[in-house]
Amino acid sequence: MNSSIKIHIIGCLVLGLSCGVWGNSVSKTCGFPAIYNFGDSNSDTGAGSAAFTGVHPPNGESFFGSLSGRGCDGRLIIDFIAEELKLPYLSAYLNSLGSNYRHGANFAVGGASIRRGGYSPFHLGLQIDQFKQFKYRVNVLYNQLSGNRTEQPFRSGLPRPGEFSRALYTFDTGQNDLYFGFNHTSDEQVRSSIPDIVDGFYQALQELYNEGARIFWIHNTGPIGCLPYSIIYYKSKQGNLTNLDANGCVKSQNEIAQEFNRQLKKQVFELKRNLPLAKLTYVDVYSVKYQLISGAKKQGFLSPMLFCCGSYYGYYVFCGTKVKVNGTVYGNPCKNPSQHVSWDGIHYSQAANLWIAKRILSGSFSDPPVPIGNACF
Ligand SMILES: *[C@@H]1O[C@H](CO)[C@@H](O)[C@H](O)[C@H]1NC(C)=O
Ligand SMILES: *[C@@H]1O[C@H](CO)[C@@H](O)[C@H](O)[C@H]1NC(C)=O
Ligand SMILES: *[C@@H]1O[C@H](CO)[C@@H](O)[C@H](O)[C@H]1NC(C)=O
Ligand SMILES: *[C@@H]1O[C@H](CO)[C@@H](O)[C@H](O)[C@H]1NC(C)=O
């Protein structure tokens, strides 16, 4: 054991920090008291269901046993993040039933984009406004309530005001900006809109920083051209099969997603330069998802082009609905969701989310390459 490690361990003992020794390296964890998450359906834990029409069964069947507001058979990556940090699953800010915000809140809403004017009104700027209001009201309420026996139960669902600056702020967003673009404009127009989209991200993060947020964990966007939904609509509209890669993904859409990620990463480094007290981790979720899709069969999954819930017969049948055409029923869910990479053609299955989470939480796809529990250092 070298002397710096000895000193470190003594520091841990003396200061009472939570430290562990693994092999030759010494590690402490940040002990995040809370998570505040922003984004779209990839990390929505109930907001879309609370604000609009709820998701239908069999969503939730593999884990929650009932509807949990997630577009998935079970847990999302954000749920595995909460587990990793030993925090409860995040309640959606918009969900008024059964919510608890003691350890954070989730502002992500299915369909949301960074820029306004996409599929959902809850664009990233609005999510940040909601966070500001949340924080303001928590501060007022917490101080109004005395914490005596009668009032303690009302306080117990609130975060401690002092904990906002020690919380982890997580993002998984951008996919709907791109998809809305593919759906309504040309690929070239989507490409040229990227600087404006990543500017929106920069501003949102800067605003959180101004509110006292310090530690940020930022997912880049996934290979959108590999979503079965993207592929189905691409094939039915363009019929240009030379634009599919070896895995059957839409090459041009993935190239634009990668360009988005390059510019997002540049903005993250720009933010690092300009926000001296911030700790920012950029996480290459794209590469992990693409690895899973390219190696699906080796990893024990069925073809990544298949999906479990919902169907397609010339039209997309949404998960939880069924359509009978010419005597054939479309939309019967599969028996084993855990064999599928894609749950419903748009969202990954719980099994896929777990596969992805295992790889990103360790830090091996992050810049800097630190595990999520150490993202504050
Ligand atoms: C608790 O505090 C509130 C307001 O400060 C007060 O009205 C109430 O009587 C207190 N209750 C008890 C049981 O002390
Ligand atoms: C947008 O997507 C919908 C299906 O979600 C499709 O019906 C429509 O044709 C698409 N529009 C364009 C311009 O791609
Ligand atoms: C089909 O896609 C390929 C690869 O992106 C492109 O080079 C080619 O011009 C496209 N052809 C048509 C007819 O759109
Ligand atoms: C249903 O039958 C009609 C008439 O034979 C045919 O045009 C159509 O493609 C069929 N649809 C499906 C989904 O098989």
Side-chain angles (χ1 to χ4, degrees), residues 25 41 59 83 141 150 283 306 308 348 351 362:
S25 69
S41 56
N59 280 294
E83 287 184 11
L141 251 174
T150 318
V283 188
L306 299 172
C308 174
Y348 289 78
S362 66

Side-chain angles (χ1 to χ4, degrees), residues 338-367:
S338 66
Q339 296 178 331
H340 285 267
V341 170
S342 182
W343 162 242
D344 60 5
I346 299 172
H347 306 105
Y348 289 78
S349 68
Q350 168 175 265
N353 287 330
L354 175 61
W355 195 95
I356 297 158
K358 273 186 184 157
R359 283 154 185 83
I360 61 175
L361 299 184
S362 66
S364 38
F365 287 84
S366 299
D367 189 333

Side-chain angles (χ1 to χ4, degrees), residues 312-314 325-326 328 330:
Y312 181 77
Y313 66 99
V325 191
N326 299 348
T328 307
Y330 294 86

Side-chain angles (χ1 to χ4, degrees), residues 137-161:
R137 292 176 63 205
V138 164
N139 283 326
V140 171
L141 251 174
Y142 194 86
N143 293 320
Q144 272 171 4
L145 298 170
S146 67
N148 70 21
R149 195 179 297 216
T150 318
E151 295 183 340
Q152 181 53 31
F154 299 99
R155 250 191 180 188
S156 70
L158 301 179
R160 302 289 173 266

